[in-house]
Amino acid sequence: MNELHFKQINHLTEKHYQLLLDADPSRKIIESYVDRSTCLIAEKNGELVGIILLLPTRPETIEIVNIAVVRKKRRQGIGQELLQYAQEWAKARRYAVLEIGTGSTSFGQLYLYQKNGFRIYGVDIGFFERHYTEPIFENKLRLKDMLRLRLRL
Ligand code: ACO
Ligand code: ACO
């Protein structure tokens, strides 16, 4: 039994929050969307390996506001499978558009999202400067802007 299992959960524990913090360093911002989102998790051998939060934003549109895989399990295809599961989940509930926002310095994530068919449609200039009190550095760059991507389901 080495397969991934996905399920929706309604109660998040500290273990889930720790994982969400890997994708979004602000607990305050996580708290602003977590209660309004659907939480899907991936488990392997009964252990939490990944998490994804989906927030309905506009009619027929749902956004992945957080996606994270346990550090030791990254680069093994779990993120890809979580994205595919989220797509199927949203499609089955008649959403027409899946959105995601990510840092302009998040090169690996941008590769993963574009490999899955997401296309860039906009930039939220200065998002990470406006909403985060601590500077964020990634790939030796100061993160300032958020790239907005979308996928038609
Ligand atoms: N750097 C370089 N390439 C990457 C990275 C990375 N950080 N992450 C994924 N990739 C590439 C891999 O090369 C892989 O392609 P390949 O197999 O053809 O080489 C492809 O993307 C798929 O990778 P997976 O193994 O499916 O992805 P993984 O299980 O590692 O999960 C994730 C990706 C969720 C981004 C993980 O790295 C993670 O938890 N990172 C920390 C949290 C984070 O940054 N979350 C996204 C923030 S944006 C948001 O939450 C809305
Ligand atoms: N992939 C990844 N990283 C790169 C790349 C690349 N293709 N090109 C440069 N970098 C990074 C390097 O890692 C380096 O960072 P580091 O030292 O911290 O690791 C940094 O950028 C600077 O690299 P240089 O050695 O100064 O850049 P180089 O002399 O290689 O020139 C250039 C870069 C002009 C893009 C060259 O790769 C090239 O001629 N590419 C083909 C033509 C091209 O793509 N031009 C740009 C198209 S857009 C336009 O023309 C308007």
Side-chain angles (χ1 to χ4, degrees), residues 22-23 64-69 73-80 100-102 108-109 111-113 115:
D22 277 0
I64 296 171
V65 285
N66 194 305
I67 174 170
V69 168
K73 303 281 182 190
R74 288 183 194 160
R75 308 297 291 267
Q76 296 172 26
I78 297 172
Q80 167 99 35
I100 193 163
T102 198
Q109 291 83 336
Y111 170 72
L112 175 61
Y113 305 150
K115 194 168 87 165

Side-chain angles (χ1 to χ4, degrees), residues 39-104:
C39 182
L40 306 173
I41 59 163
E43 290 179 333
K44 209 167 192 175
N45 302 323
E47 279 199 25
L48 175 72
V49 292
I51 195 162
I52 196 160
L53 290 184
L54 293 160
L55 175 69
T57 51
R58 290 188 299 286
E60 299 191 335
T61 301
I62 194 158
E63 177 169 343
I64 296 171
V65 285
N66 194 305
I67 174 170
V69 168
V70 168
R71 208 172 288 269
K72 283 188 183 152
K73 303 281 182 190
R74 288 183 194 160
R75 308 297 291 267
Q76 296 172 26
I78 297 172
Q80 167 99 35
E81 287 205 46
L82 265 171
L83 281 176
Q84 280 166 1
Y85 186 75
Q87 280 176 44
E88 283 158 27
W89 188 95
K91 215 170 170 172
R93 283 153 189 82
R94 305 251 178 267
Y95 286 99
V97 178
L98 183 60
E99 293 190 347
I100 193 163
T102 198
S104 63

